[in-house]
Amino acid sequence: MLFIVSTSNAQEPSTDYRRPDSGARGVGTGDWVFVPELPSVFQRARPEYDPTGLALGSWILRPEVSLGGEFSDNVFAEEHDKDSDFSGVAEPAFRLQSDWDVHLLGIEGSGRFEQHVEETSLNEEEGGGTAFGRLDITGEDTLFASAGYRRLVSPPGDPDDDEDANENDSTTFDRFQSRLGYVHEFAQMILRVDARGRRFNYLDTTDEDRDRDELDLGARLTYAWSPRITPFVEIGYGLEDFDEAVDDTGVDRDSMQYTAALGANFLITDIMRAELALGVEHTEFDQDGFDSTTNPRVSGEVVWNITQLTSIIGRARYFEDVTTQANSSGKRVLAAGVRVEQEVLSNLLLFGEVGYRNDNFKGVDRIDDRFEAGLGGEFLLNRNVSFFAEYSFEHRTSDSPTVDDFTENTIFVGTRLQY
């Protein structure tokens, strides 16, 4: 059976700003199509502690819920006059998946409900679900597809939010997504073609000019040169189609992007895997006065299991992203991070991570730098109960006088119940 081991198109989809999610380790969060080639400490199977799920004939139901409390010392992401608050968080999730020898069919869903003690305007209700499937046509041909919906909330600090209009507020939007892909394996090569559509709807009237449709098409051809080196070539096409002819700043935000890249997967040793892709992206804009741009595009990831108890994961990307900032056609994004995972005991897992992101807005005098760090761990009591705690630090600076610099410290503790 052929497993799909990559979820990325050649065209990187545009992303709205989101802080890292706490809580659920996979169920209901959309990782069904990804099978790690070299699992890290947190991804590794633990037969004595992994939930078995509920067998329903030829189906398996995996429910879980995380319950916890969170404290933030700067809930509005402000530079001065910071406000702190406590909140209660519930994160239910489930996955119902077929248990067949061939083919795959299922549905999954998750939610996040946050209630603040004092700043109730920041109460959040997120959630959604995805239906997915894989058709194993032959031993060499696989078709996969998914369709889903999610309501998401970006907290204060969203770099594309209108701070004057949405001061001390979060940004809520609906995202509809569909995906269709085909994989063919022949001789020493694997061909994957992939199409993804997205629809973004913003609930606040001040953000309606961000409503848009996105289409991403991509193809990757991989060659099994050796058991340890598999080079690939990929191409992609992306389309951004905004609902409004011009946004609130009078700019037509529609654009098209073409990408091409060369890369390779490396199994450097039996305990280290890496992927590196180098390419170019060309973007054309409908707005008069926004010149077409051609820029380098870089992405890389390395997973190093130093021992059976320690993993180091590093990731880096350099790419073009959309923006709705006045007089700016887009932004160049440089993002990099390192995460260390440690198994102290068979049922006690710890992690530490640091990250950096630079948003360089084109055509305007604005560069944002964002630094993040976190520490945490999880204690697996048994198959059905675990306890976790996380601390995160975030600091943003901007050279724009209209954008607040801010620092936020967050502590999140809770328990996870699963079956």
Side-chain angles (χ1 to χ4, degrees):
M1 181 182 298
L2 177 66
F3 291 99
I4 309 303
V5 296
S6 176
T7 62
S8 63
N9 286 333
Q11 163 69 18
E12 184 71 30
S14 303
T15 55
D16 284 63
Y17 167 61
R18 297 270 297 139
R19 291 180 183 171
D21 289 328
S22 300
R25 287 166 53 196
V27 172
T29 59
D31 67 348
W32 59 271
V33 78
F34 178 67
V35 180
E37 296 174 280
L38 188 63
S40 66
V41 166
F42 270 67
Q43 295 172 327
R44 191 172 300 138
R46 290 177 169 78
E48 66 274 27
Y49 292 105
D50 290 338
T52 57
L54 180 62
L56 302 174
S58 58
W59 298 78
I60 297 179
L61 175 64
R62 301 184 184 276
E64 74 173 39
V65 61
S66 296
L67 303 172
E70 184 175 79
F71 169 78
S72 168
D73 67 352
N74 190 6
V75 292
F76 293 118
E78 295 176 317
E79 186 172 2
H80 307 290
D81 301 322
K82 301 177 182 179
D83 293 288
S84 61
D85 199 9
F86 291 90
S87 61
V89 180
E91 295 179 303
F94 79 94
R95 179 181 298 162
L96 178 63
Q97 181 174 313
S98 62
D99 188 26
W100 307 331
D101 292 334
V102 295
H103 312 308
L104 175 70
L105 188 63
I107 185 172
E108 64 184 11
S110 64
R112 188 176 194 275
F113 305 93
E114 182 173 2
Q115 296 292 314
H116 285 258
V117 174
E118 295 182 359
E119 307 297 345
T120 56
S121 65
L122 293 178
N123 290 348
E124 297 178 6
E125 294 182 358
E126 295 181 299
T130 302
F132 56 87
R134 188 193 68 232
L135 180 63
D136 301 316
I137 304 171
T138 68
E140 294 79 31
D141 298 274
T142 301
L143 185 70
F144 62 92
S146 66
Y149 158 82
R150 292 196 68 81
R151 170 158 292 184
L152 297 167
V153 179
S154 291
D158 181 347
D160 275 307
D161 200 7
D162 185 343
E163 294 201 356
D164 293 333
N166 296 326
E167 186 178 3
N168 294 353
D169 203 358
S170 52
T171 303
T172 303
F173 60 97
D174 292 327
R175 185 189 69 197
F176 302 85
Q177 181 169 305
S178 60
R179 190 174 183 196
L180 179 64
Y182 169 73
V183 179
H184 177 65
E185 185 175 2
F186 52 98
Q188 292 179 275
M189 292 185 288
I190 298 177
L191 173 66
R192 188 190 77 231
V193 292
D194 204 348
R196 174 160 40 191
R198 287 185 173 190
R199 169 67 187 173
F200 292 86
N201 284 331
Y202 287 80
L203 274 61
D204 196 299
T205 56
T206 61
D207 285 311
E208 285 183 348
D209 62 340
R210 298 170 69 178
D211 292 352
R212 65 188 183 272
D213 296 310
E214 295 181 352
L215 174 65
D216 295 291
L217 306 175
R220 173 185 284 199
L221 181 63
T222 301
Y223 176 66
W225 187 13
S226 74
R228 295 193 179 276
I229 302 177
T230 53
F232 60 82
V233 58
E234 58 184 12
I235 57 174
Y237 167 79
L239 174 68
E240 302 276 354
D241 184 14
F242 286 77
D243 289 5
E244 297 187 3
V246 295
D247 65 12
D248 293 346
T249 66
V251 174
D252 184 349
R253 292 290 171 186
D254 294 349
S255 65
M256 294 184 296
Q257 187 177 85
Y258 305 87
T259 62
L262 295 173
N265 280 286
F266 304 92
L267 187 62
I268 301 171
T269 68
D270 292 337
I271 61 173
M272 177 180 276
R273 180 191 65 81
E275 178 175 306
L276 176 65
L278 304 175
V280 64
E281 55 189 15
H282 176 76
T283 308
E284 298 179 355
F285 305 95
D286 287 3
Q287 173 66 31
D288 293 336
F290 282 178
D291 295 333
S292 300
T293 62
T294 302
N295 294 290
R297 180 186 187 88
V298 182
S299 65
E301 179 184 61
V302 60
V303 178
W304 182 18
N305 291 332
I306 302 176
T307 70
Q308 287 295 313
L309 305 178
T310 307
S311 297
I312 297 179
I313 304 103
R315 296 184 178 92
R317 291 194 303 158
Y318 181 61
F319 63 99
E320 176 111 357
D321 206 357
V322 297
T323 183
T324 53
Q325 291 298 296
N327 302 316
S328 178
S329 61
K331 56 185 178 181
R332 297 298 300 169
V333 178
L334 171 64
V338 176
R339 176 182 172 100
V340 178
E341 299 178 353
Q342 178 69 41
E343 179 180 312
V344 180
L345 301 171
S346 61
N347 62 337
L348 178 59
L349 313 178
L350 303 178
F351 75 87
E353 57 190 3
V354 294
Y356 168 74
R357 177 177 170 125
N358 175 273
D359 292 283
N360 190 341
F361 293 80
K362 297 186 297 184
V364 296
D365 185 17
R366 178 181 175 184
I367 299 177
D368 291 359
D369 290 298
R370 189 183 297 269
F371 301 89
E372 296 177 333
L375 295 170
E378 183 164 10
F379 175 71
L380 310 176
L381 182 63
N382 53 44
R383 294 182 185 274
N384 307 117
V385 182
S386 65
F387 302 94
F388 57 86
E390 300 176 9
Y391 162 76
S392 62
F393 166 85
E394 183 174 3
H395 177 67
R396 183 184 74 183
T397 60
S398 178
D399 59 6
S400 172
T402 63
V403 179
D404 280 347
D405 298 344
F406 72 87
T407 299
E408 181 181 13
N409 295 276
T410 304
I411 298 174
F412 186 36
V413 296
T415 182
R416 181 176 295 108
L417 310 176
Q418 53 194 356
Y419 189 86

